[in-house]
C-alpha cells in the first residue's frame, strides 16, 4: 500500500500506483513548462504557487478517471495541466478579492507583489491554459469554456448574494457548484474523455466530480474556522474577516432565526461587526469553533461526499473505483 496524492490517498494496486505517480510527475513538469516566460519576473510570479506545492487534487482525479480508458493516451496529461493551471489562476484572483496574506503556506502573490501583479499573473495562467487546450480539440475547448462560465457565475453570485426570498444556504450551494464543483467535474470528465472511456462512464465521473467538488469546498469552509494556518496553509478565518458567509456562518444565522437563542443572536451581531479588528476576529473564531453550526456544516460535507460515492455505483469494481471512493472519505476526514 502506497500513499499518493492529496490527503494520503492509499493505492493498493502497484500498476495503478505507478500510472498515477508517473502521471502526476508529468503534470508537474507540464506546469513548470507552461509557467515559463521570456520575462524572468513573469516566470517567478507565475511559478510562485506552483512551487509552493498544493494537493494537486484535480490532476489526481484526471489520472484516476483515465483508468477507465487508456491512461497512457497522449491528451490525458495535458488536460490535467489545463485544469490545474485554471485552478491556480483562480487562486491568484481569489487572494486579491479576499485580501489574503497567505496561500499554501507562503505569502500570497498579492501580499508579495501587489494586487495588479497578482491579477495579471492569474490572467497569464488562463492564457497558458487556453494555449494548451487548443491542442485538445474543439470539444475540450467548449467543455472548459462552459466550466469557466459557471465558475465565474458562481463567483459573481457569491459577491451579489441571494436574491430576495431565496434561502441563503440553497444560494450558497449553487455558488459552490459553480465556483468549485464545475472545475472538479471537468477534471473527472477530461480524464475519462481523453482516455477514450465510454460516454456513460464519462457522464458518471462528471457527476461524481461535481458532488465531490462541493464536498471539498464545504470541508474547506469547516477548515477555515476549525484549523490553524499550519494545517490549512492559509490564514484561518480569512472569509470571516472579509464578511464572506461560508456554510458554518449560514448555519449559525439559520439557527438564530429559527430558535431565537440569545447567544446565537449575540454571535451573529459579533460577526456583523468590524472583524478587521484582530481581537474581535479571534473572539468570533473561538466562539464559532465551539458552536453547533460548525457540526451542522460538517454534516453537510458528509452528505455531499456520500452523494459523490453514490454516483460511482454504475462503474465497474476495481482499484480505480476504490480510490475514488476513498477520496470521498478523505474529503470528509479533512473536515474532522
Amino acid at each position: 500500500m502506497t500513499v499518493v496524492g492529496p490527503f494520503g490517498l492509499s493505492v493498493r494496486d502497484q500498476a495503478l500506483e505507478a500510472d498515477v505517480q508517473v502521471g502526476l510527475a508529468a503534470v508537474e513538469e507540464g506546469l513548470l513548462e507552461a509557467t515559463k516566460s521570456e520575462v524572468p519576473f513573469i516566470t517567478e510570479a507565475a511559478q510562485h504557487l506552483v512551487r509552493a506545492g498544493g494537493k494537486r487534487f484535480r490532476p489526481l482525479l484526471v489520472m484516476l478517471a483515465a483508468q477507465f480508458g487508456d491512461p497512457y493516451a497522449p491528451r490525458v496529461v495535458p488536460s490535467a495541466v489545463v485544469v490545474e493551471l485554471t485552478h491556480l489562476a483562480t487562486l491568484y484572483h481569489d487572494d486579491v478579492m479576499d485580501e489574503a496574506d497567505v496561500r499554501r503556506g507562503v505569502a500570497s502573490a498579492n501580499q508579495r507583489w501587489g494586487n495588479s501583479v497578482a491579477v495579471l499573473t492569474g490572467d497569464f495562467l488562463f492564457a497558458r491554459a487556453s494555449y494548451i487546450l487548443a491542442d485538445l480539440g474543439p470539444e475540450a475547448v467548449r467543455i472548459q469554456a462552459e466550466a469557466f462560465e459557471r465558475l465565474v457565475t458562481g463567483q459573481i453570485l457569491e459577491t451579489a448574494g441571494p436574491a430576495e426570498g431565496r434561502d441563503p444556504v440553497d444560494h450558497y450551494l449553487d455558488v459552490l457548484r459553480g465556483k468549485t464543483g464545475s472545475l472538479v467535474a471537468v477534471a473527472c470528465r477530461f480524464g475519462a474523455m481523453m482516455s477514450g472511456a465510454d460516454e456513460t462512464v464519462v457522464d458518471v465521473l462528471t457527476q461524481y466530480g461535481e458532488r465531490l467538488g462541493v464536498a471539498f469546498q464545504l470541508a474547506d469552509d469547516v477548515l477555515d474556522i476549525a484549523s490553524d494556518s499550519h494545517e490549512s496553509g492559509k490564514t484561518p478565518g480569512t472569509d470571516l474577516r472579509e464578511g464572506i458567509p461560508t456554510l458554518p456562518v449560514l448555519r449559525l444565522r439559520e439557527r438564530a432565526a429559527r430558535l431565537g437563542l440569545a447567544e446565537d443572536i449575540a454571535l451573529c451581531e459579533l460577526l456583523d461587526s468590524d472583524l478587521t479588528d484582530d481581537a474581535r476576529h479571534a473572539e468570533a473564531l473561538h466562539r464559532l469553533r465551539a458552536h453547533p453550526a460548525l457540526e451542522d456544516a460538517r454534516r453537510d460535507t458528509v452528505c455531499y461526499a456520500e452523494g459523490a460515492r453514490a454516483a460511482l455505483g454504475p462503474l465497474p469494481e476495481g482499484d480505480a473505483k476504490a480510490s475514488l471512493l476513498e477520496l470521498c472519505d478523505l474529503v470528509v476526514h479533512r473536515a474532522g
Side-chain angles (χ1 to χ4, degrees), residues 94-331:
D94 282 352
D95 285 347
V96 171
M97 294 178 67
D98 298 341
E99 299 180 3
D101 295 329
V102 178
R103 169 70 71 175
R104 295 184 171 177
V106 299
S108 61
N110 50 297
Q111 174 69 17
R112 184 167 176 180
W113 294 294
N115 286 346
S116 294
V117 169
V119 169
L120 291 169
T121 303
D123 292 346
F124 175 82
L125 295 179
F126 282 130
R128 286 299 173 89
S130 299
Y131 184 84
I132 298 168
L133 190 65
D135 288 333
L136 300 181
E139 179 67 3
V141 172
R142 184 187 64 79
I143 290 168
Q144 176 78 351
E146 288 176 350
F148 191 45
E149 179 184 348
R150 289 187 63 204
L151 192 157
V152 173
T153 299
Q155 187 70 67
I156 292 171
L157 287 174
E158 181 179 63
T159 303
E164 186 175 352
R166 180 85 196 277
D167 178 73
V169 171
D170 287 346
H171 169 83
Y172 183 63
L173 292 172
D174 275 349
V175 166
L176 295 194
R177 290 183 194 103
K179 266 186 65 177
T180 306
S182 62
L183 195 57
V184 177
V186 166
C188 293
R189 186 171 183 178
F190 274 177
M193 185 176 116
M194 300 304 173
S195 71
D198 185 81
E199 189 61 36
T200 57
V201 172
V202 175
D203 290 343
V204 164
L205 287 167
T206 302
Q207 291 177 40
Y208 163 82
E210 179 146 337
R211 294 173 189 178
L212 188 71
V214 174
F216 184 87
Q217 184 57 56
L218 292 178
D220 261 8
D221 286 359
V222 172
L223 281 171
D224 187 57
I225 303 298
S227 73
D228 58 30
S229 57
H230 176 73
E231 290 177 89
S232 63
K234 55 188 179 184
T235 305
T238 297
D239 291 331
L240 204 63
R241 191 184 291 275
E242 295 304 313
I244 298 170
T246 57
L247 194 64
V249 173
L250 292 173
R251 288 302 188 198
L252 165 67
R253 295 189 187 282
E254 181 183 65
R255 178 186 170 94
R258 186 177 75 252
L259 301 179
L261 298 177
E263 58 267 34
D264 293 348
I265 294 169
L267 181 51
C268 288
E269 289 172 351
L270 174 62
L271 295 179
D272 289 333
S273 67
D274 181 11
L275 294 185
T276 60
D277 178 84
D278 288 341
R280 282 200 193 111
H281 182 256
E283 182 186 355
L285 264 180
H286 175 74
R287 289 169 65 178
L288 262 178
R289 284 169 176 167
H291 197 278
L294 190 61
E295 188 56 37
D296 291 342
R298 285 192 175 101
R299 281 194 290 269
D300 291 322
T301 305
V302 171
C303 181
Y304 269 88
E306 287 303 311
R309 174 187 294 277
L312 293 174
L315 293 184
E317 298 302 320
D319 290 302
K321 180 177 179 179
S323 295
L324 293 171
L325 289 168
E326 186 181 351
L327 277 176
C328 298
D329 296 331
L330 291 170
V331 164

